[in-house]
Amino acid sequence: MRDSVVKTLVELAKEDKNIELITGDLGFGVLKPFWENVPNQFTNAGIAEQNMTTVAAGMALEGKNVFTYSIGNFPTLRCLEQIRNDCAYHKANVTVICVGGGFVYGALGMSHQATEDIAVLRALPDVVVMAPGDAVEAVECTKALAKYQGTAYLRLGRGGEKKIHDKIDDFKIGKAIKIRDGKKIAIFSTGAIFDEVETAYEMLLEKGYEPAVYTFPTIKPIDRESIQECSREFELIVTCEEHNIIGGFGSAVAEVMAEMKEKKAHLLRVGIDDVYGEKVGSQKYLREQYGISGESIVEKIEKEI
């Protein structure tokens, strides 16, 4: 996913000299193609993410289209005030890229586990929040954000995510993508948790269920129309995210459903149950421990039914 984003940024930057990439002193193996191809559009701000964000805001207000890049919570929570005051308030063209959303860096402990970032960034006015599910979605998100006027957040996995799409026609910020038709149950997924959703889907088929599956590359603005349509058609909507259950993707869906006057569906939110990651280990291990693995998704759906 991250390699696809960098490759796309290289192509875009060759065509647009206003595109700038700033890193917080990491990712050099991944970012090497960018500085080799467009060295004058690349800056290493050092281990100083707050300064990196303010520099990005200054560049953007002088006409640049800036992407900042770091891992986990470093480009988001560490410099939240700079994102809010310097970027979002001025509608500056800054896209914050986080590599390693959720438990990607789970072995490094809770400081590196990005599990509240969606909720925090979603609360900032005028900030677009995107979390692609595979490399194809990541490329489309990058292209769309390169054209977007304003501040945005792009949450990525680390790499090696299961392929969802061969291609996406008519990709738009704020639109969900239907992956499969189904009956009674609709599963909504955002970000790299999709591989667990796919596991859950196969298990549910074996048990006699046939859920519909949607992926939501955009969390804000949320696709209200798709949520409303599914709320009228299905009996159960299940949201899946590698994020705290409070304030994230499931909450965004719940807000839409709560304001509907007529609906058939009730909602099941699958996420991290409002706790910090006190355990360390691989992403797969932590998903199992915190109840967001494919098996856990199935157990929670069956219990709800």
Side-chain angles (χ1 to χ4, degrees):
M1 190 182 290
R2 60 182 181 178
D3 291 338
S4 298
V5 167
V6 174
K7 182 180 178 182
T8 303
L9 281 176
V10 171
E11 295 170 356
L12 293 170
K14 285 180 177 179
E15 297 296 323
D16 183 356
K17 297 303 180 184
N18 284 322
I19 289 180
E20 299 274 347
L21 176 62
I22 311 178
T23 181
D25 203 39
L26 49 71
F28 298 115
V30 178
L31 301 180
K32 185 178 179 181
F34 192 94
W35 82 62
E36 285 183 340
N37 283 277
V38 281
N40 294 330
Q41 293 163 254
F42 177 81
T43 303
N44 177 11
I47 306 174
E49 291 83 1
Q50 293 165 327
N51 185 56
M52 173 181 73
T53 306
T54 297
V55 168
M59 286 182 171
L61 294 176
E62 291 297 321
K64 300 295 185 180
N65 188 354
V66 190
F67 291 78
T68 63
Y69 181 100
S70 190
I71 66 170
N73 295 316
F74 302 157
T76 53
L77 303 190
R78 177 172 287 179
C79 45
L80 177 61
E81 185 175 9
Q82 286 72 29
I83 295 172
R84 178 181 184 269
N85 295 357
D86 299 342
C87 299
Y89 179 67
H90 298 284
K91 296 181 173 58
N93 289 342
V94 176
T95 296
V96 177
I97 299 177
C98 156
V99 177
F103 289 131
V104 168
Y105 294 101
L108 299 177
M110 65 85 65
S111 64
H112 285 61
Q113 295 168 5
T115 54
E116 305 91 35
D117 52 313
I118 292 174
V120 173
L121 273 294
R122 192 171 76 88
L124 297 183
D126 292 325
V127 174
V128 166
V129 178
M130 306 192 80
D134 73 347
V136 178
E137 287 186 10
V139 168
E140 294 297 334
C141 287
T142 305
K143 291 178 180 178
L145 291 174
K147 297 177 181 177
Y148 177 72
Q149 298 295 305
T151 303
Y153 175 44
L154 180 59
R155 186 194 212 234
L156 304 177
R158 191 173 186 178
E161 291 81 11
K162 186 173 182 178
K163 186 177 181 181
I164 305 172
H165 315 272
D166 291 322
K167 65 175 183 175
I168 302 174
D169 296 321
D170 196 29
F171 181 93
K172 292 179 181 178
I173 292 174
K175 293 299 294 181
I177 303 170
K178 182 191 289 187
I179 306 300
R180 292 187 176 88
D181 290 313
K183 302 174 182 177
K184 296 186 178 181
I185 302 168
I187 303 177
F188 294 171
S189 174
T190 192
I193 196 72
F194 187 86
D195 58 349
E196 302 293 347
V197 170
E198 186 72 2
T199 298
Y201 173 81
E202 297 295 339
M203 293 177 65
L204 288 166
L205 283 183
E206 293 178 0
K207 292 174 178 289
Y209 303 103
E210 189 180 345
V213 180
Y214 290 74
T215 179
F216 281 69
T218 310
I219 301 165
K220 182 186 176 183
I222 197 74
D223 186 347
R224 300 180 66 89
E225 183 177 347
S226 292
I227 295 169
Q228 290 166 346
E229 288 178 358
C230 289
S231 296
R232 297 185 186 102
E233 178 181 353
F234 295 95
E235 297 176 9
L236 175 64
I237 290 176
V238 185
T239 61
C240 298
E241 60 191 307
E242 194 165 351
H243 183 272
N244 190 1
I245 201 72
I246 305 297
F249 172 56
S251 293
V253 173
E255 289 163 10
V256 176
M257 293 178 66
E259 293 176 347
M260 292 181 64
K261 293 182 179 179
E262 296 182 5
K263 60 180 181 292
K264 183 197 301 186
H266 61 284
L267 177 65
L268 170 63
R269 294 178 299 150
V270 178
I272 301 164
D273 193 19
D274 200 27
V275 295
Y276 289 113
E278 297 178 350
K279 301 177 182 180
V280 297
S282 69
Q283 185 178 29
K284 184 68 175 176
Y285 169 77
L286 291 175
R287 285 176 173 177
E288 293 169 354
Q289 292 297 305
Y290 290 98
I292 56 173
S293 65
E295 292 79 5
S296 297
I297 294 169
V298 172
E299 289 175 5
K300 292 177 179 180
I301 289 174
E302 289 197 298
K303 183 178 179 180
E304 187 71 18
I305 292 172

